[in-house]
Amino acid sequence: MLDSKVPAGPLAEKWSKHKFNLKLVNPANKRKYTIIVVGTGLAGSSAAASLAELGYNVKAFCYQDSPRRAHSIAAQGGINAAKNYQNDGDSVFRLFYDTIKGGDYRAREANVYRLAEVSVNIIDQCVAQGVPFAREYGGLLDNRSFGGAQVSRTFYARGQTGQQLLLGAYSALNRQINKGTVKMYNRHEMLDLVTIDGHARGIITRNMVTGAIEAHEGHAVLLCTGGYGNVFYLSTNAMGCNVTAAWRAHKRGAFFANPCYTQIHPTCIPVTGDHQSKLTLMSESLRNDGRVWVPKTVELAQKLRKGEIKISDLKEEDRDYYLERKYPSFGNLVPRDVASRNAKEVVDEGRGVGASGIAVYLDFEDAIKRLGEDTVRAKYGNLFDMYYQITDENPYKQPMRIYPAVHYTMGGLWVDYNLMTTVPGLYALGECNFSDHGANRLGASALMQGLADGYFVIPYTIGDYLAGLGFDPVDRNHPEFEKTRKTVEDNVQRLLSLKGSKTVDDIHKKLGHIMWEYCGMARNEAGLIKAKGQIQELRREFWSDVTVLGENEEMNQSLEKAGRVADFLELGELMVDDALNRRESCGGHFREESQTEEGEAKRDDENFKYVAAWEYRGESQPEVLHKEPLEFENVKLTQRSYK
C-alpha cells in the first residue's frame, strides 16, 4: 500500500529527472483549479503564494487573526543551506549526509537529498524578498554553526530568523491576496476533511469568531499545520499549536508515520512551577559561543543549590564541560538528542544546578573575554534580553540555566516523494509530514524544510495530480460535504454537552505529565505499557468528567481547547504504541533497553530499518501498522559517533 514514488536513477539526478517526467498543467488551465492550503506558516504561506503566482485559485486558512502569527515566527537561530560561502568544505552532499546521519538513518535518502539540493535556492529567494540576513563586514551573507555539523552553513537574522523569513513569505502571500488569486480565511479552524470517492475534495471549518460551521471545496488540500509537540502540554510551541487538522485527516485515511519521533531541545529555560502554560526556547545558536557545564561533584552541586557557594567560587577544575569532554570533535555542537540526553544524565546524577536542580549552565564568560561584550550583544542581544526578562538573571554576568524541553516532532502524516499522503489529493508540507528528518532533526533545518516544500517542491508535484483531473469545479452540494459537516456539528455538540468537574487544562496537564514521564527523553517497555493504561483511563475521565463552557455561536476558547485535547489524547496513545513497537533506540527515540556501553542510542537495523505508518481503523480499534522499508545506497549505515 505504501508507494514512496521515489524515482529511479542516481541520487543527484532524481529530482531533476522527476521534475521533467511530472505532468504539467497548461497556464490557461491553472485558473480552473482551486487549491486549499491549511496553515500559513512558512510552508503554508510559501505554498499558497507560489501556487497563486502560477495561476491557481487558492483558499488559505489559519486559526490566528493573521498569517503573521503562525508559530514559524518563533524560530530563532537560522536556516541551513549548502552555499559553502565560508569555503570550509560544505556541499549539497555533505548537507545531505549530515541530515541523514543526524536523523540516525531513519529518513528516505531521496527526500533528504532533494532538501539539501533546493536549500541553495531558498536563500536566493529570501534575499530577493528582502529578508535581512546577517552580513559580514564586507557585505557578504554571514554564517554560523549549528549542531551535528562541522561546517558553518546556517544563515540567520540575529535571533529572529523565523520572523524575518515569515515576513518574506507573508509579503509574497499578501501580494497574491491583493491580486485576488488567494482568498484568505483568518480565524478559521479546520475540523474535518471531506473525501469524495476516496479523494480529498474539501474541508470543514469552524469560524472561531461566530461559531459557523462551513464547508469549503477544492481540487486538492494542502496541510501545512505544523507539529504536535503540545501533546506534552509544556513545550516551546505556541499554546495554539495542535494536531487537530492532521489527526482528523488521519481518521479519514491518511497514515500517520513515526509518531514516537519527538525532539527534545537541549537549550530551553527550565520549568519553574505548575503555573506555567508553555516553555521558552534559547536558540541553539548560543551553543556556538556558550559552553555547557555542571559542577564536577554532587557535593559541589548541592552547595551551589543551597546558596552555600556562588558560581564564581567554582574554579575551572571544579567545572565539568561534559559535552566537550565526551565529544571533542563536535563539543557543544553535538545534535540535539545527544545534548539533551547528556543533560538529563548529569541532572539524574545529582549535579544539576538552580533551585530545582533540574538545569545545567550555558556559560558565555569565555566568549565575552575572547570577543568582547559588544560583539556578543550584537550576535545574541535579543536572546539575552529575553532570558533576562523571564528569569531576572543577567547572562552577561552569570551563566544561563537551561534544560531540555519538547520542541519539534519528526513524525507526521506519511507522504510520498510528491508530498502526497495516502489520501489522493491530500498533501502534507513542512513539520506536518514525516519525510526529511528521520528520528532527529538537526538545528536550522525546520525552516529549510518548510520553505523547500512550499517554494520549490509542491509547485511541481501538485500539477502531476491535477493534470489527471477534469476541469469541472468541485460540487459543494455533493452529499459528502453535508455528511461531513453534520459529523463536525455533532462532535461540537458532544463537547459542549460535557459539564463535569474538571477543566480541559486539568486533563491536558495530566496527559503532558504521562507523556513526559514515560514517552519523553527516555522510554522503556514497562513505562510505556503503564502510560498506555493511564492515557486510556484519562480519555474516559475526559469524556465523563470534563467541563466545556459557553456555546458554539460565539468565540469559545474552552470549546477550541476541548477539541484539540480530545485529539491529543488519541494521538498520545498512538505515540506510545509506536514507541512500544520500535524496540530500538534511534535519534530522539531512546529505549533504555537498547543502548551502547557508553549510553548512546543503539539502533537495530536488521529489524527496524523502516518507516512505521499507522492506519486508523475506527473508534477504540487498534491501529494497523504498515512498514515502508528504508534503502540506503549512498551512505553507509554506522553507529553514530560525534566524538
Side-chain angles (χ1 to χ4, degrees), residues 190-204 223 244-256 413 421-424 426 479-489 491 570 614-618 623:
M190 173 182 161
L191 295 182
D192 214 335
L193 176 74
V194 179
T195 61
I196 298 175
D197 298 328
H199 289 244
R201 287 293 178 264
I203 61 173
I204 305 297
L223 296 186
T244 291
W247 191 252
R248 304 290 170 89
H250 172 56
K251 295 172 85 166
R252 291 289 177 184
F255 290 6
F256 211 104
L413 294 180
T421 69
T422 48
V423 176
L426 176 67
E480 285 298 330
F481 278 92
E482 182 58 29
K483 179 181 176 183
T484 309
R485 193 171 69 85
K486 182 68 165 59
T487 300
V488 169
E489 289 177 342
N491 189 47
E570 295 178 3
W614 296 86
E615 179 187 6
Y616 181 79
R617 282 295 181 90
E623 300 217 2

Side-chain angles (χ1 to χ4, degrees), residues 10-53:
L11 184 67
E13 299 174 9
K14 287 182 186 292
W15 178 231
S16 296
K17 287 186 175 181
H18 189 63
K19 285 190 291 185
F20 177 76
N21 291 325
L22 290 170
K23 298 174 186 174
L24 299 176
V25 177
N26 175 320
N29 288 335
K30 287 187 172 75
R31 58 178 173 267
K32 299 175 182 177
Y33 294 107
T34 298
I35 300 171
I36 291 173
V37 178
V38 184
T40 52
L42 286 180
S45 286
S46 60
S50 300
L51 293 169
E53 186 78 46

Side-chain angles (χ1 to χ4, degrees), residues 7-249:
L11 184 67
E13 299 174 9
K14 287 182 186 292
W15 178 231
S16 296
K17 287 186 175 181
H18 189 63
K19 285 190 291 185
F20 177 76
N21 291 325
L22 290 170
K23 298 174 186 174
L24 299 176
V25 177
N26 175 320
N29 288 335
K30 287 187 172 75
R31 58 178 173 267
K32 299 175 182 177
Y33 294 107
T34 298
I35 300 171
I36 291 173
V37 178
V38 184
T40 52
L42 286 180
S45 286
S46 60
S50 300
L51 293 169
E53 186 78 46
L54 286 171
Y56 295 108
N57 299 301
V58 177
K59 297 179 181 179
F61 297 81
C62 69
Y63 64 76
Q64 299 92 345
D65 57 359
S66 164
R68 275 195 60 188
R69 295 190 183 275
H71 187 59
S72 299
I73 206 169
Q76 298 170 353
I79 177 171
N80 288 329
K83 285 286 198 181
N84 195 32
Y85 282 169
Q86 303 302 316
N87 199 29
D88 56 359
D90 201 11
S91 65
V92 168
F93 191 87
R94 188 175 294 278
L95 175 52
F96 154 73
Y97 176 77
D98 287 346
T99 306
I100 283 282
K101 177 184 175 183
D104 218 352
Y105 306 97
R106 289 294 176 264
R108 275 192 212 128
E109 279 191 338
N111 287 60
V112 177
Y113 191 89
R114 177 176 63 187
L115 176 65
E117 185 179 350
V118 303
S119 70
V120 297
N121 300 329
I122 296 171
I123 303 304
D124 297 338
Q125 169 90 355
C126 295
V127 169
Q129 290 173 336
V131 173
F133 286 122
R135 293 180 181 267
E136 296 175 339
Y137 179 77
L140 300 176
L141 295 181
D142 195 13
N143 294 107
R144 56 189 177 198
S145 300
F146 260 60
Q150 291 180 304
V151 296
S152 295
R153 63 163 66 102
T154 305
F155 295 80
Y156 64 98
R158 212 175 184 190
Q160 48 185 262
T161 313
Q163 178 177 356
Q164 298 304 326
L165 291 172
L166 186 59
L167 286 172
Y170 175 65
S171 299
L173 176 63
N174 264 351
R175 178 170 178 268
Q176 298 303 321
I177 293 172
N178 185 58
K179 288 176 66 177
T181 51
V182 173
K183 187 169 183 181
M184 189 69 225
Y185 294 84
N186 299 330
R187 305 296 289 162
H188 281 67
E189 182 171 22
M190 173 182 161
L191 295 182
D192 214 335
L193 176 74
V194 179
T195 61
I196 298 175
D197 298 328
H199 289 244
R201 287 293 178 264
I203 61 173
I204 305 297
T205 65
R206 179 177 179 271
N207 184 318
M208 296 164 70
V209 177
T210 67
I213 306 299
E214 304 168 356
H216 300 274
E217 75 284 358
H219 293 89
V221 177
L222 276 56
L223 296 186
C224 312
T225 51
Y228 48 89
N230 276 351
V231 68
F232 290 87
Y233 185 70
L234 286 180
S235 80
T236 65
N237 290 182
M239 288 181 65
C241 293
N242 63 83
V243 76
T244 291
W247 191 252
R248 304 290 170 89

Side-chain angles (χ1 to χ4, degrees), residues 25 33-35 56 219-220 427 461-471:
V25 177
Y33 294 107
T34 298
I35 300 171
Y56 295 108
H219 293 89
Y427 294 79
T461 61
I462 198 168
D464 189 63
Y465 172 73
L466 296 176
L469 303 179
F471 301 133

